[in-house]
Amino acid sequence: MPLFGGYKANKLKPQLKMAVTRFTIASNKKSALMKQQIREIAKLLAEDPPKEEKARIKAEALIRDDDTVEAYELLQLSCELLSERLNLITHSKECPADILSTV
């Protein structure tokens, strides 16, 4: 029995490519916001007296956003791998070992 009711390769490949594009856009958007947050943190620390607590809170949010961007990149790579190997997956009875962790 196919996993989740099976899939259609001719529909899956464009969806994977679209997901890669969306992850790229989301990653670029987050990265631009992160650069702006870094500037804000620098301004908070440059003030007299420095607002260290607010800067610390913003830095923690920045770290979470950085982790999110890294997760987007991992998902993007997984989608690209599946898209490229879709023909191999379609023609084999069992999932290839190198793709197993991605699937």
Side-chain angles (χ1 to χ4, degrees):
M1 184 171 132
L3 185 65
F4 302 115
Y7 64 94
K8 294 183 181 174
N10 60 345
K11 288 186 178 182
L12 183 59
K13 192 163 187 164
Q15 288 176 342
L16 287 169
K17 289 188 180 219
M18 200 173 0
V20 168
T21 305
R22 288 179 180 167
F23 283 129
T24 303
I25 291 169
S27 179
N28 291 342
K29 187 175 179 180
K30 279 257 190 222
S31 295
L33 289 173
M34 286 170 53
K35 288 179 186 176
Q36 183 179 1
Q37 287 176 338
I38 290 172
R39 288 188 204 106
E40 290 175 9
I41 292 169
K43 284 181 185 177
L44 287 172
L45 293 174
E47 289 180 3
D48 190 36
K51 298 181 179 176
E52 292 177 11
E53 193 59 36
K54 282 187 178 182
R56 183 175 289 119
I57 292 169
K58 288 187 180 254
E60 289 172 359
L62 183 68
I63 291 169
R64 280 193 302 275
D65 286 345
D66 187 43
D67 291 342
T68 303
V69 169
E70 286 181 28
Y72 286 161
E73 290 171 359
L74 286 173
L75 289 169
Q76 180 180 355
L77 287 173
S78 295
C79 288
E80 287 173 350
L81 177 67
L82 284 174
S83 178
E84 293 300 320
R85 302 277 179 94
L86 190 60
N87 200 19
L88 175 66
I89 297 169
T90 303
H91 294 299
S92 61
K93 287 191 175 202
E94 291 186 15
C95 187
D98 61 335
I99 304 175
L100 200 56
S101 64
T102 304
V103 175

